[in-house]
């Protein structure tokens, strides 16, 4: 049975990272600095550092891919008339019903399936490349 998205647990490391980023956004160490030149230099350095964004983009791309991999495990039975029962206990659960129950829109479902169809070595090469963040593959542009 699928767990509602709002109740789905997140990995502990992910939760810790979220808290750390929230604290960075909330606490501004530079505001108390007496030396404005040091503060200006710090802000300039922060504005040019995209390390955290790149890591977050990579995590998101892998999450999108994993959604697609899991959806591919659900038999694609939605080729004709839609099933009348869309219950997680139904053995004939369609991909669309599974995606909907997981909180994905139709577009997100299609995106996840497309990303999961990219061969693993190619996907990893793209996600880890420096160009990924400027020229993300079309299938990875729509965030979940």
């Amino acid at each position: 049975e699928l767990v509602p998205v709002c109740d789905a647990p997140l990995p502990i490391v992910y939760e810790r990272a979220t808290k750390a980023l929230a604290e960075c956004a909330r606490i501004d160490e530079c505001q108390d600095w007496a030396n404005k030149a040091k503060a200006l230099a710090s802000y300039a350095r922060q504005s040019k550092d995209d390390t955290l964004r790149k890591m977050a983009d990579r995590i998101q791309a892998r999450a999108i891919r994993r959604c697609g991999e899991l959806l591919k495990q659900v038999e694609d039975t939605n080729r004709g008339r839609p099933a009348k029962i869309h219950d997680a206990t139904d053995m004939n659960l369609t991909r669309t019903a599974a995606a909907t129950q997981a909180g994905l829109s139709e577009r997100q479902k299609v995106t996840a399936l497309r990303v999961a169809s990219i061969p693993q070595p190619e996907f990893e090469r793209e996600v880890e490349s420096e160009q990924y963040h400027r020229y993300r593959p079309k299938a990875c542009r729509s965030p979940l």
Side-chain angles (χ1 to χ4, degrees), residues 70-120:
L70 292 171
L71 282 172
K72 281 185 168 194
Q73 292 177 14
V74 177
E75 186 179 351
D76 190 12
T77 59
N78 203 17
R79 294 285 179 192
R81 286 188 155 170
K84 291 184 180 180
I85 300 173
H86 294 294
D87 181 37
T89 59
D90 181 11
M91 295 305 290
N92 295 319
L93 182 67
T94 66
R95 278 187 188 165
T96 300
T100 300
Q101 288 183 16
L104 300 176
S105 69
E106 178 66 21
R107 180 181 175 118
Q108 290 168 330
K109 177 192 84 166
V110 170
T111 298
L113 289 167
R114 285 180 181 162
V115 173
S117 295
I118 299 170
Q120 183 69 29

Side-chain angles (χ1 to χ4, degrees), residues 28-47:
D28 188 353
E29 293 178 25
C30 296
Q31 70 185 355
D32 296 330
W33 292 356
N35 187 331
K36 300 298 180 189
K38 284 184 182 178
L40 179 61
S42 178
Y43 284 128
R45 183 174 177 189
Q46 289 175 51
S47 71

